[in-house]
Amino acid sequence: MQDPLIVTTSTASYPVVVEAGALTSLPGRLADLGLRGALWLVCDAAVAQAYGEPLAARLRAAGFTVHTHGVPSGEASKCADELWRLYDWMIGGAVERRDAVLALGGGVVGDLAGFAAASVLRGIAVVQLPTTLLSMVDAAVGGKTGVNHALGKNLIGAFHQPRLVLADTAALATLAPRELRAGWAEVVKHGVISDAGLFAELEELAAAHHWDERPLAGWPDQDAELALRLTAIIRRAVAVKVGVVSRDEREQGERITLNYGHTIGHAVEALIGYGALLHGEAVAIGMHAAARIAVAMGLCDEGLLERQRRLLAAYGLAVTMPHGLDPEAVIATTLRDKKVQARRVRWVLPTAIGSVTVRDDVPEDLVREAIALRADA
Ligand SMILES: NC(=O)c1ccc[n+]([C@@H]2O[C@H](COP(=O)([O-])OP(=O)(O)OC[C@H]3O[C@@H](n4cnc5c(N)ncnc54)[C@H](O)[C@@H]3O)[C@@H](O)[C@H]2O)c1
């Protein structure tokens, strides 16, 4: 068992555990944190049977009072109606300030349940239990919570740091291959923005392992070596996020680097309709476009672009712009990005594998070139 990673911000300090089988240690860890009130387990419907029910039984056996609530799978659940259902359930069940919300699922449940915890009774504890690769390496760490508004994603929310993050990598065995692939995009992103060693490990893993249709079936029991290796890589990717949010909790500076690939990625997602591409798939396209811009600006060489493209391809991620997208619409949409300041897009651009810079002086023509050509041209 490894020591947990620790997030330390000006408002909070909490452990982040990344292990195959980590969920079994939850009762003891809650007790160690002094969380002895009732537990409000919010669970993605798709993982209720496999992980939610056994977890609730284990917690009850350890003496905890556990209430459970299922959330329908999918982005549509990050909405006011589902949020109000959580309030009705908790307030109707006499939730108290000393209680804690447990968010078991992907980023959807993490954001929704996290925001319910941030706001009910003006804030109670939340523990994030991510079950997708994306939520392990990104959404569960850093305290951003919220729901969507009809006019845009994540427009209503709050910073609410969890008391504990427990990423049980064994849960990835049941994740759909496409969801797993989308998660790899964020892992690659963390390598590019700040950890060249992680990037190199991903290259080695890709060379040694064939990512077929059901890459992790029977895992981790049937392939202990791969389980250890993958868990170590995921932990390293989580460590990047832990470091960034510890240094910049409120996105005053460095945290924007986590947005690498997201400027174009968000625009593509918004234009082709949320759901047509998974977030990670759009981010892969966005990272490729950003690297092309960086090459055109002389910030990095073609080698970086090619290494990144090859690695994304090895994890099943395409980098070509979807057919039929109007480049002018993409550019116009980037100007509506939340990271825009004084109508200047703040681009996160790679300078080397493991390092990025933020620029707000990218000529529009370079963006046009980066997205107009088919990316494999
Ligand atoms: N708070 C943040 O900092 C932050 C960062 C990045 C993304 N997000 C948010 O995260 C959300 C996306 O998260 P996501 O990609 O985890 O999506 P998700 O929560 O929708 O999960 C993806 C799918 O996987 C299923 N699933 C989850 N775990 C499973 C498992 N172990 N086995 C089988 N199926 C499983 C879910 O039912 C769902 O269908 C978006 O709403 C995004 O805005 C938040």
Side-chain angles (χ1 to χ4, degrees):
M1 198 183 290
Q2 273 183 311
D3 286 341
L5 303 162
I6 306 286
V7 174
T8 306
T9 70
S10 57
T11 58
S13 177
Y14 55 93
V16 179
V17 178
V18 184
E19 260 170 40
L23 280 174
T24 55
S25 69
L26 184 62
R29 292 185 190 277
L30 293 177
D32 291 347
L33 288 168
L35 292 171
R36 295 176 191 282
L39 301 174
W40 301 83
L41 174 59
V42 183
C43 187
D44 185 304
V47 300
Q49 209 184 351
Y51 311 113
E53 288 167 19
L55 182 65
R58 193 172 298 117
L59 289 163
R60 286 187 185 115
F64 288 95
T65 298
V66 187
H67 307 272
T68 59
H69 179 90
V71 173
S73 302
E75 185 69 27
S77 283
K78 254 175 69 174
C79 66
D81 283 353
E82 285 302 327
L83 180 65
W84 239 258
R85 271 193 264 283
L86 291 186
Y87 292 147
D88 291 346
W89 167 62
M90 287 193 276
I91 296 167
V95 62
E96 295 182 16
R97 294 295 306 272
R98 64 191 206 111
D99 294 354
V101 169
L102 308 180
L104 180 69
V108 164
V109 163
D111 282 8
L112 172 73
F115 187 55
S119 47
V120 75
L121 307 182
R122 294 202 184 82
I124 66 171
V126 63
V127 171
Q128 293 286 354
L129 306 171
T131 60
T132 63
L133 181 54
L134 182 136
S135 59
M136 289 179 189
V137 300
D138 194 354
V141 176
K144 282 189 184 177
T145 69
V147 295
N148 302 326
H149 184 271
L151 294 179
K153 269 188 63 138
N154 299 326
L155 292 180
I156 300 160
F159 279 96
H160 188 54
Q161 298 293 346
R163 294 288 300 278
L164 165 71
V165 180
L166 209 68
D168 186 342
T169 54
L172 299 177
T174 52
L175 193 63
R178 192 171 171 205
E179 297 288 350
L180 191 65
R181 279 200 290 274
W184 282 122
E186 301 285 351
V187 178
V188 171
K189 180 194 79 178
H190 287 186
V192 177
I193 65 173
S194 88
D195 188 347
L198 168 62
F199 193 96
E201 279 188 29
L202 286 166
E203 289 179 324
E204 282 167 31
L205 182 68
H209 185 79
H210 180 57
W211 295 100
D212 51 16
E213 267 305 288
R214 268 278 163 201
L216 300 180
W219 186 83
D221 303 336
Q222 282 169 27
D223 197 338
E225 201 203 313
L226 178 64
L228 276 177
R229 195 166 175 194
L230 218 52
T231 300
I233 285 181
I234 294 168
R235 188 175 192 277
R236 193 162 175 169
V238 176
V240 170
K241 175 113 191 212
V242 165
V244 171
V245 300
S246 293
R247 291 185 293 271
D248 178 21
E249 181 185 13
R250 298 282 168 137
E251 209 162 308
Q252 311 287 304
E254 186 188 352
R255 193 163 176 168
I256 195 180
T257 61
L258 294 168
N259 220 42
Y260 176 51
H262 285 56
T263 308
I264 293 290
H266 278 153
V268 168
E269 256 185 309
L271 286 169
I272 69 164
Y274 289 104
L277 271 185
L278 295 180
H279 177 66
E281 294 170 331
V283 168
I285 293 168
M287 288 196 285
H288 189 70
R292 287 178 69 130
I293 291 170
V295 170
M297 289 180 78
L299 296 172
C300 67
D301 56 33
E302 290 264 359
L304 180 149
L305 179 69
E306 182 51 20
R307 252 182 101 187
Q308 181 184 269
R309 190 195 63 74
R310 261 190 277 121
L311 188 60
L312 290 169
Y315 288 92
L317 290 153
V319 294
T320 45
M321 293 296 272
H323 285 290
L325 263 196
D326 173 11
E328 297 310 316
V330 174
I331 290 172
T333 308
T334 61
L335 285 167
R336 292 203 295 271
D337 195 275
K338 268 188 287 188
K339 305 317 187 261
V340 167
Q341 273 179 358
R343 287 201 52 81
R344 292 173 87 95
V345 179
R346 295 165 72 212
W347 291 91
V348 181
L349 301 173
T351 51
I353 297 291
S355 122
V356 283
T357 185
V358 181
R359 297 282 292 257
D360 67 358
D361 60 345
V362 175
E364 234 175 68
D365 276 345
L366 283 194
V367 181
R368 207 163 271 123
E369 266 169 43
I371 61 177
L373 296 175
R374 281 186 57 86
D376 50 1

